[in-house]
Amino acid sequence: MDISVKVGDYLLNYRVSALIKKENKVLVHHSLGKNHYTLPGGRVKSGESSIVALKREIKEEMGFDIEYIRPVSLIENFFELNDLNYHELLFTHEVKFKDESIYNIPKIEAIEEEKRDKLEFLWIDINALNEERLLPKKMIDVIKNDKGEFVHYINDERTH
């Protein structure tokens, strides 16, 4: 069961995302019909570590195996969506594909049944990323952090 719990006026989510780079590009997750991107990943299930969850999510959505490199960031993310208040803990880990030929695929289609024809994965030039399209907005700082340090950000996009 996904760790997504109603607490007071907020929905608390525990999520994980993958930072996968190739040269000056990063792999992003794009829901067709939406104007924004996120890093690939998903919700962590109860009893599951963030690393195991990330490996599972990538395998489910793309069908590929990944190799863990390092932890990258924690973003405490506050936002509103569809009249719900969210309090999200988002761990990001740098990973790489075990099969290096995957880096030559310009667009990866989702293989998960309910996401097929609704979701795609694209390589975006890191310098072309902007805060309006990449969510959460603080993720740009995470991606552009070239010091190799673990970073912690608070991303507050609430309007009230």
Side-chain angles (χ1 to χ4, degrees):
M1 172 175 269
D2 290 343
I3 300 177
S4 184
V5 182
K6 184 81 168 142
V7 180
D9 293 336
Y10 285 84
L11 186 62
L12 175 64
N13 277 337
Y14 178 15
R15 294 182 56 85
V16 64
S17 63
L19 178 60
I20 306 172
K21 292 182 177 180
K22 99 172 169 181
E23 297 156 4
N24 63 332
K25 295 183 178 182
V26 65
L27 189 68
V28 296
H29 162 277
H30 177 240
S31 294
L32 300 176
K34 303 282 184 178
N35 193 29
H36 66 274
Y37 304 117
T38 61
L39 292 185
R43 287 194 178 112
V44 176
K45 295 184 181 300
S46 58
E48 185 177 56
S49 74
S50 61
I51 297 166
V52 168
L54 191 55
K55 289 178 178 181
R56 175 186 50 77
E57 286 286 347
I58 298 297
K59 186 73 168 180
E60 286 175 358
E61 293 182 351
M62 291 184 251
F64 303 130
D65 292 315
I66 56 173
E67 187 176 314
Y68 183 77
I69 298 175
R70 67 184 179 94
V72 175
S73 70
L74 166 62
I75 296 178
E76 294 180 59
N77 193 19
F78 298 90
F79 61 97
E80 298 167 2
L81 180 66
N82 299 329
D83 296 324
L84 283 174
N85 295 313
Y86 285 81
H87 180 165
E88 181 176 88
L89 300 175
L90 174 61
F91 281 91
T92 302
H93 299 282
E94 184 175 1
V95 299
K96 65 180 181 179
F97 290 117
K98 287 186 176 181
D99 179 353
E100 292 191 15
S101 69
I102 297 164
Y103 291 97
N104 297 321
I105 304 171
K107 180 170 72 170
I108 301 167
E109 303 291 337
I111 63 163
E112 199 171 7
E113 187 63 39
E114 66 268 11
K115 295 180 182 175
R116 195 172 294 142
D117 300 324
K118 297 177 185 168
L119 179 64
E120 62 186 0
F121 300 90
L122 310 166
W123 295 103
I124 303 291
D125 187 298
I126 291 171
N127 296 317
L129 292 171
N130 68 55
E131 289 183 350
E132 298 308 311
R133 299 214 48 207
L134 184 69
L135 298 177
K137 293 177 180 182
K138 279 292 187 185
M139 192 57 77
I140 287 180
D141 295 333
V142 171
I143 293 168
K144 291 185 176 182
N145 175 18
D146 58 2
K147 296 178 184 170
E149 302 171 335
F150 184 86
V151 293
H152 172 224
Y153 292 112
I154 296 173
N155 188 79
D156 194 340
E157 297 177 20
R158 295 175 284 193
T159 57
H160 64 280

